[in-house]
Amino acid sequence: MTPTPERGAATIEQVARVAGVSRSTVSRVLGGGERVSPEALTAVREAISALNYVPSRAARSLASRQTHAIALIVPEDTTRFFGDPYFAAIVSGIESRLRETDYILNLFIASDDPRSKTASYIESGNVDGAIVVSHHTSDTYVERIAQAVPVVYGGRPVRTRDGDYFVDVDNVLAGEEATAYLISRGARRIGMITGPRDMRAGIDRLEGHRRALAAVGLPEGPIEDGGFTRAGGAEAARRILDGGEPFDALFVASDLMARGAIDALRDADLRVPDDVLIVGFDDSPVAIGATPALTTIRQPSFHAGELITNTLLSRLRGEPAEHATVLPTELIIRDSA
Amino acid sequence: MTPTPERGAATIEQVARVAGVSRSTVSRVLGGGERVSPEALTAVREAISALNYVPSRAARSLASRQTHAIALIVPEDTTRFFGDPYFAAIVSGIESRLRETDYILNLFIASDDPRSKTASYIESGNVDGAIVVSHHTSDTYVERIAQAVPVVYGGRPVRTRDGDYFVDVDNVLAGEEATAYLISRGARRIGMITGPRDMRAGIDRLEGHRRALAAVGLPEGPIEDGGFTRAGGAEAARRILDGGEPFDALFVASDLMARGAIDALRDADLRVPDDVLIVGFDDSPVAIGATPALTTIRQPSFHAGELITNTLLSRLRGEPAEHATVLPTELIIRDSA
DNA sequence: TTGTAGGCGTTATCAC
DNA sequence: GTGATAACGCCTACAA
């Protein structure tokens, strides 16, 4: 006879009754089936599937003091979050790894709202850990969060502290490679469109750019901040154009900005790569979509998402984890330089 | 003297002690402050802020049988979710509305995994309600979900049932308008790249297209499914090209597919709009990014996200809500037709 | 290996 | 208005 599941979800109590054991035994089975007799084990399992039982997350959290939830904190506005393929890739990686576990993802697009709301939510033990992608100097609430729960950063935090965990690429090295390539292609007056200077990626790529220039004794070209958006990239290019300083190449710190820059150059009747060489960054889908296809620095964002999640998961299990995971980048040569 | 917050989050018990009242009174204050004396009220409020108290979500859920969480279910793979600006817009709208409440968003990119996992999670009372965007015929698990909690659809479900709640545009009318415009521009052999036929938006836009053709007695041109992706749009265009059937215009059911189609046409040395007129759909950011800028049907996706959320919130409060909310579309004329 | 007994932090239902 | 006192569903010693 089919057990009649009463209205609402089944409870552990009902499972126990149907299986003819106590709640504790059911609970043990749920916890992995250690120290349970084979008979009890199968009885419980059958009862579980017969009742279509799934544990109540709330009750479990309350008793075990774990939420099995992790927060994804994006200190950006929704426009930038959804507008930049970089986030798409990294979140996909996080998602795909998390899917193998029973952790759940709580999404906080934190920039638009009073930060303290996100922070106090997390401080109150509503998630077990947090992933922070895209960290700005001004995001002090992130430090409050890091004090409350284990945090892993996607991209090293602006001021890295001992004990921080992060997954990143070597942006200095990558920036250096980008500009060195431009030099090797014959460019001599190389400008740059940077990311925000309050972000590690913004700072480091510029640093690499400068090193490459210094290495061969070339002077700095025009430098403008494009804010990691397409529109910002276009504006930065326009400012560079308006500045009047001559340039024959541009290292642009993200593919998205590079597209904007190309738009602006085209409006000024400059051709890429004929008049201006361009190297982007990310190798996101927009790199191939651009005309001309972008020469760019590939960074493994999807994989980074997976590793970020792995690191956090290890920490949550109390296992040791790598503090700094640095992934390799690769110069991808296409048509823009 | 500063109250010493013990390790971990403060509890309602501690607040009560500091305020010199009982837990019940604190709970009442939390619940809105009805039937509480002014003195008690301020005392409790002070205690709360002094202790930096935030209620435990788990405990509250357990006792009140509400989770204050809502599920966002996207029956697509992550690539499509992050690749299509339509989702960006609608999720932004949802997010922005939810931010004003104390509801939290649980993200389920459901297509890649065994659907039943998502469904049983929700059936077990782990969320109060769900929003489903992008519904396919094959997504039967959605119906299980709809039986367990209030659901509101973004885009009407494939087979609408009495009692369903959804926010949508009139895709038939919009499709009709798109093709009618093409006709008015002189096109006579009009093909179409559709969305998947197992989705309402895919079906309805095609229906509108056919009506417009029928209205003036024009024959049907080539029709291919582009799966609502850029690559799919390009392939569909190639199939149309290969088919050999002549055409002077294309109604493409999404801007993303339209971009793909333009790429494919360009590869075949066809120029837009000189050789082929194109009308897209969505008016997403890619519409202006395309070359030439896309003439398209604008649908208010961000606003739809807000309204979806409003509808769900009303239902959760037990208030009456509109079953069908139909938003207007608008033809935006640019360069592609 | 199994069951019993608390307790996790809230809300809800009562009397007072 | 206020405060005991049960639930809520699960986990975790502890005892058997």
Side-chain angles (χ1 to χ4, degrees):
Chain A
M1 57 187 190
T2 317
T4 317
E6 27 262 83
R7 282 194 53 69
T11 75
I12 203 174
E13 179 69 49
Q14 297 168 27
V15 174
R17 212 154 41 216
V18 170
V21 298
S22 73
R23 291 182 307 206
S24 328
T25 302
V26 178
S27 183
R28 272 178 219 112
V29 173
L30 258 31
E34 306 289 309
R35 306 174 168 238
V36 180
S37 70
E39 307 80 53
L41 205 151
T42 56
V44 169
R45 290 205 169 133
E46 277 166 15
I48 285 179
S49 74
L51 292 172
N52 201 256
Y53 166 78
V54 178
S56 150
R57 175 166 292 259
R60 187 190 287 239
S61 299
L62 192 56
S64 69
R65 320 186 107 309
Q66 296 192 74
T67 62
H68 280 264
I70 88 157
L72 174 59
I73 299 169
V74 188
E76 301 284 348
D77 55 37
T78 44
T79 313
R80 203 164 109 54
F81 178 61
F82 283 105
D84 195 332
Y86 165 76
F87 290 114
I90 204 162
V91 174
S92 298
I94 293 169
E95 241 281 328
S96 86
R97 179 63 185 83
L98 229 39
R99 170 166 306 157
E100 301 161 12
T101 73
D102 65 340
Y103 278 87
I104 212 191
L105 197 62
N106 286 174
L107 184 59
F108 293 89
I109 310 202
S111 175
D112 301 338
D113 77 337
R115 269 74 185 281
S116 52
K117 194 184 160 199
T118 299
S120 58
Y121 178 81
I122 289 167
E123 286 177 323
S124 306
N126 288 309
V127 299
D128 292 343
I131 291 173
V132 177
V133 294
S134 186
H135 183 215
H136 300 254
T137 317
S138 54
D139 299 328
T140 50
Y141 69 111
V142 168
E143 282 153 33
R144 279 177 54 197
I145 292 174
Q147 247 169 310
V149 298
V151 165
V152 177
Y153 295 89
R156 75 195 75 196
V158 192
R159 289 165 305 163
T160 311
R161 303 181 172 196
D162 284 356
D164 279 350
Y165 290 78
F166 63 82
V167 175
D168 203 359
V169 297
D170 188 334
N171 283 300
V172 177
L173 195 67
E176 204 170 340
E177 186 177 9
T179 296
Y181 174 72
L182 251 12
I183 295 170
S184 80
R185 298 279 295 158
R188 287 301 171 266
R189 298 156 174 280
I190 308 177
M192 175 166 178
I193 295 179
T194 71
R197 308 297 172 83
D198 68 343
M199 296 183 66
R200 200 72 241 176
I203 298 166
D204 287 355
R205 290 172 198 172
L206 172 58
E207 165 74 12
H209 168 73
R210 286 182 161 146
R211 281 196 198 172
L213 253 24
V216 297
L218 238 35
E220 258 181 33
I223 296 177
E224 290 291 342
D225 177 349
F228 278 148
T229 67
R230 180 165 181 175
E235 283 161 29
R238 256 175 252 127
R239 284 197 301 275
I240 289 178
L241 254 9
D242 292 347
E245 201 177 335
F247 63 98
D248 53 14
L250 244 30
F251 167 37
V252 187
S254 87
D255 290 343
L256 208 57
M257 292 195 296
R259 290 208 61 157
I262 290 177
D263 294 339
L265 293 176
R266 183 184 302 120
D267 291 345
D269 285 324
L270 289 174
R271 310 221 133 240
V272 176
D274 308 296
D275 303 319
V276 179
L277 298 174
I278 286 198
V279 171
F281 205 107
D282 281 341
D283 194 30
S284 68
V286 308
I288 355 178
T291 323
L294 251 35
T295 290
T296 188
I297 301 284
R298 171 179 298 166
Q299 62 170 333
S301 304
F302 181 91
H303 191 215
E306 294 181 311
L307 293 182
I308 290 167
T309 312
N310 280 343
T311 305
L312 183 56
L313 256 22
S314 296
R315 294 190 62 189
L316 293 182
R317 280 191 300 259
E319 297 167 4
E322 212 67 59
H323 280 271
T325 305
V326 178
L327 267 24
T329 58
E330 184 188 356
L331 176 70
I332 305 292
I333 299 176
R334 297 208 181 85
D335 307 327
S336 68
Chain B
M1 58 189 189
T2 317
T4 317
E6 27 262 84
R7 281 193 55 70
T11 76
I12 204 175
E13 179 69 48
Q14 295 167 29
V15 173
R17 212 152 43 214
V18 171
V21 298
S22 72
R23 289 184 303 206
S24 317
T25 300
V26 177
S27 184
R28 271 179 220 113
V29 173
L30 258 31
E34 306 290 307
R35 308 175 168 237
V36 180
S37 69
E39 306 82 52
L41 205 152
T42 56
V44 169
R45 290 203 169 132
E46 277 166 15
I48 285 178
S49 74
L51 293 172
N52 202 257
Y53 165 79
V54 179
S56 150
R57 175 167 293 261
R60 175 175 284 192
S61 298
L62 191 56
S64 68
R65 320 185 107 311
Q66 296 192 69
T67 63
H68 279 264
I70 88 159
L72 174 60
I73 298 168
V74 187
E76 301 284 347
D77 56 36
T78 46
T79 314
R80 203 165 109 53
F81 178 61
F82 282 105
D84 195 331
Y86 165 77
F87 291 114
I90 205 162
V91 174
S92 298
I94 293 168
E95 241 280 329
S96 86
R97 179 64 185 86
L98 229 39
R99 171 166 305 155
E100 302 161 10
T101 73
D102 63 342
Y103 278 87
I104 210 193
L105 197 63
N106 286 174
L107 185 59
F108 293 88
I109 312 210
S111 176
D112 300 338
D113 77 337
R115 270 73 186 284
S116 53
K117 194 184 160 202
T118 300
S120 59
Y121 178 82
I122 288 167
E123 286 178 322
S124 305
N126 287 309
V127 298
D128 292 343
I131 291 173
V132 177
V133 293
S134 186
H135 183 216
H136 300 255
T137 316
S138 54
D139 300 328
T140 50
Y141 70 109
V142 168
E143 281 153 33
R144 279 177 54 198
I145 292 173
Q147 247 168 312
V149 300
V151 165
V152 176
Y153 295 89
R156 75 196 75 197
V158 192
R159 288 166 304 161
T160 310
R161 303 181 172 195
D162 283 356
D164 279 350
Y165 289 78
F166 63 82
V167 175
D168 202 359
V169 297
D170 188 333
N171 282 300
V172 177
L173 194 67
E176 204 171 341
E177 187 178 7
T179 297
Y181 174 73
L182 252 12
I183 296 170
S184 79
R185 298 280 295 157
R188 287 300 172 266
R189 297 156 174 282
I190 308 177
M192 177 167 176
I193 296 179
T194 71
R197 308 297 174 85
D198 68 343
M199 296 182 66
R200 201 69 243 177
I203 298 166
D204 287 354
R205 291 173 199 172
L206 172 58
E207 164 74 11
H209 168 72
R210 287 182 161 145
R211 282 197 198 171
L213 254 24
V216 296
L218 240 33
E220 259 183 32
I223 295 178
E224 291 290 341
D225 178 350
F228 277 149
T229 68
R230 180 166 179 170
E235 284 161 28
R238 257 175 251 126
R239 284 198 302 275
I240 289 179
L241 254 9
D242 292 347
E245 200 177 334
F247 63 99
D248 54 13
L250 245 30
F251 167 39
V252 187
S254 86
D255 290 342
L256 209 57
M257 293 194 295
R259 290 206 62 155
I262 290 177
D263 295 340
L265 294 176
R266 184 184 301 120
D267 291 346
D269 285 324
L270 288 174
R271 309 219 134 242
V272 176
D274 308 298
D275 303 318
V276 180
L277 297 174
I278 287 198
V279 171
F281 205 108
D282 281 342
D283 194 31
S284 68
V286 309
I288 355 178
T291 322
L294 251 35
T295 290
T296 188
I297 301 283
R298 169 179 298 165
Q299 62 169 333
S301 305
F302 181 91
H303 191 215
E306 294 181 311
L307 292 183
I308 290 167
T309 312
N310 280 344
T311 304
L312 183 55
L313 256 20
S314 295
R315 292 190 64 190
L316 294 182
R317 281 191 300 259
E319 297 167 6
E322 213 67 58
H323 279 271
T325 305
V326 178
L327 267 23
T329 57
E330 184 188 356
L331 176 70
I332 304 292
I333 299 175
R334 297 208 180 84
D335 307 329
S336 68

